[in-house]
Amino acid sequence: MLKTLKSLCLIDATSGDETAVREFICKEVKDFCECSTDNLGNLICFKKGKKTPNKKIMLDAHMDEVGLIIKAITPDGYLKFQTVGGIDTSVMLSRRVLIENEINGVIGCKPVHLSSADERKKLPKEENLYIDIGASSRQEAQELVSVGDRAVICSEYIENGDKIISKALDDRIGCAVLIDLIKNYDEYDFYGVFSVQEEVGARGAKVATFGINPDSAIVLEGTTAADIADVPSDKTVCVLGNGVAVSFMDKGAVYYRPYYDFALNSNIKCQPKSAVAGGNNSSVIHLSRDGVKTVALSVPCRYIHSACSVADKNDILSARELCEYMINAIADGSIE
């Protein structure tokens, strides 16, 4: 599973441009389930198990990552861009980017020695940033890139003991867990959705859920961990190494309480996500048709939505174990 995660993280796939990840996942799972792709680009998998569950169960993990999209080229050859998903300006400054998997550039802004005293005290605005690809004119830049091209901030995949450092852990972690379940779990039938465009508003999951019409859903995600220096314990959200985080509420959903309680009362290492913040595909999944009982299992990630997110391998294994546990409990009626 961790080998698969590395391969997934090294693929570039911003929202609306998930083809490369989808093709990789198709190759991984095609011999273990029935696969189809809907009109929006979601990969829909049906895994046939030994038994049919009491409830139709859907698992969701999104394929897209945050990134950039080129919106204009200046007369002197610089690229203006819009972020795709939530990226803080501080993680973009002077970072190398890769455009359409082939053109290298760097995100630039006014040099500090040309900035005023007031400008030095605050981050530059996103609108004042640009990508420098070494072009000296608009014409020269247009020979290499086009408006609408996508870019990601470059990153390596590094294993440092139990920690993983990489871009796109949100949500290639969820994709890796779901791939492993499709390959190795066969007790009950379930649907697995590898969804598109989560980072720009949970769009893919809305379409997929309507089509599948599940009774219950398990959302596999990455979430913010703030267990870092100078953050008080009541603000840490969740802690690396303490297991997968189970949400009770966020900005998009109030989660189905019996599933939340059941997960936390298991013998599997997990923790509550102790902040009502952020959101994920649950926001649209739980509202589909006449409602879907939903739980979110999220792996803690420090520095999320950056090129150097950090996750703990043990939390990923915890997510895999708890997800299987929840499938069994929902399927056999242990939780209503």
Side-chain angles (χ1 to χ4, degrees):
M1 184 168 65
L2 295 177
K3 182 179 178 181
T4 301
L5 176 60
K6 178 178 180 179
S7 297
L8 286 165
C9 287
L10 292 175
I11 300 171
D12 298 339
T14 54
S15 304
D17 189 30
E18 297 91 352
T19 303
V21 169
R22 184 172 59 247
E23 290 177 348
F24 174 85
I25 295 172
C26 278
K27 290 177 183 177
E28 289 289 311
V29 303
K30 64 182 181 180
D31 294 333
F32 301 90
C33 63
E34 299 172 15
C35 296
S36 63
T37 302
D38 66 20
N39 289 333
L40 208 63
N42 298 302
L43 179 62
I44 311 294
C45 303
F46 176 69
K47 176 61 186 279
K48 182 65 181 173
K50 298 173 185 175
K51 294 177 277 188
T52 299
N54 293 328
K55 304 289 185 182
K56 187 186 289 187
I57 301 169
M58 184 185 91
L59 276 59
D60 169 84
H62 68 87
M63 296 184 287
D64 59 315
E65 64 186 288
V66 296
L68 315 171
I69 190 166
I70 308 306
K71 65 179 183 180
I73 302 175
T74 69
D76 44 3
Y78 298 111
L79 313 181
K80 302 297 288 184
F81 62 86
Q82 176 73 41
T83 53
V84 179
I87 309 178
D88 190 79
T89 304
S90 63
V91 306
M92 295 193 286
L93 301 178
S94 301
R95 294 303 303 257
R96 186 168 66 88
V97 299
L98 187 64
I99 305 167
E100 295 294 324
N101 295 301
E102 57 179 338
I103 304 300
N104 284 286
V106 61
I107 297 175
C109 61
K110 185 189 291 187
V112 65
H113 56 277
L114 297 180
S115 302
S116 68
D118 286 340
E119 287 174 329
R120 293 174 195 169
K121 294 177 182 177
K122 53 190 177 183
L123 287 171
K125 295 180 179 179
E126 179 187 314
E127 63 196 48
N128 293 328
L129 302 180
Y130 56 84
I131 298 174
D132 183 352
I133 58 171
S136 58
S137 67
R138 177 182 285 133
Q139 182 178 357
E140 186 178 344
Q142 287 174 332
E143 293 174 1
L144 300 172
V145 300
S146 301
V147 170
D149 283 353
R150 288 160 168 95
V152 297
I153 300 174
C154 296
S155 169
E156 297 180 83
Y157 182 97
I158 298 168
E159 294 189 19
N160 187 12
D162 285 337
K163 302 298 186 290
I164 296 169
I165 305 168
S166 178
K167 73 172 181 66
L169 291 175
D170 172 18
D171 183 34
R172 305 293 159 71
I173 285 174
C175 292
V177 171
L178 183 48
I179 289 169
D180 191 72
L181 283 160
I182 290 172
K183 287 182 173 181
N184 297 302
Y185 174 83
D186 62 359
E187 192 65 23
Y188 288 98
D189 303 347
F190 70 87
Y191 286 86
V193 175
F194 297 93
S195 54
V196 299
Q197 299 189 38
E198 189 271 350
E199 298 293 0
V200 290
R203 297 168 185 173
K206 183 176 183 179
V207 172
T209 310
F210 186 90
I212 294 170
N213 192 22
D215 300 295
S216 302
I218 301 171
V219 175
L220 295 163
E221 257 286 13
T223 194
T224 302
D227 58 334
I228 55 178
D230 299 324
V231 176
S233 59
D234 62 321
K235 302 288 187 182
T236 57
V237 185
C238 51
V239 177
L240 265 65
N242 280 9
V244 64
V246 186
S247 298
F248 54 84
M249 181 180 175
D250 57 33
K251 294 297 185 181
V254 178
Y255 291 89
Y256 186 57
R257 183 61 182 261
Y259 288 180
Y260 170 78
D261 289 340
F262 194 85
L264 288 181
N265 288 323
S266 71
N267 291 320
I268 298 165
K269 192 172 186 179
C270 61
Q271 59 184 309
K273 179 183 173 182
S274 60
V276 180
N280 54 57
N281 279 337
S282 301
S283 63
V284 296
I285 290 172
H286 83 289
L287 296 176
S288 185
R289 295 190 185 239
D290 58 350
V292 180
K293 297 174 179 178
T294 304
V295 64
L297 307 180
S298 303
V299 172
C301 295
R302 294 177 188 150
Y303 326 118
I304 203 165
H305 287 193
S306 78
C308 297
S309 295
V310 179
D312 191 297
K313 296 175 184 177
N314 297 301
D315 295 337
I316 299 170
L317 297 175
S318 164
R320 168 63 174 82
E321 185 180 3
L322 185 56
C323 188
E324 180 172 334
Y325 178 79
M326 294 297 292
I327 295 171
N328 289 336
I330 294 168
D332 67 15
S334 296
I335 5 174
E336 290 295 333

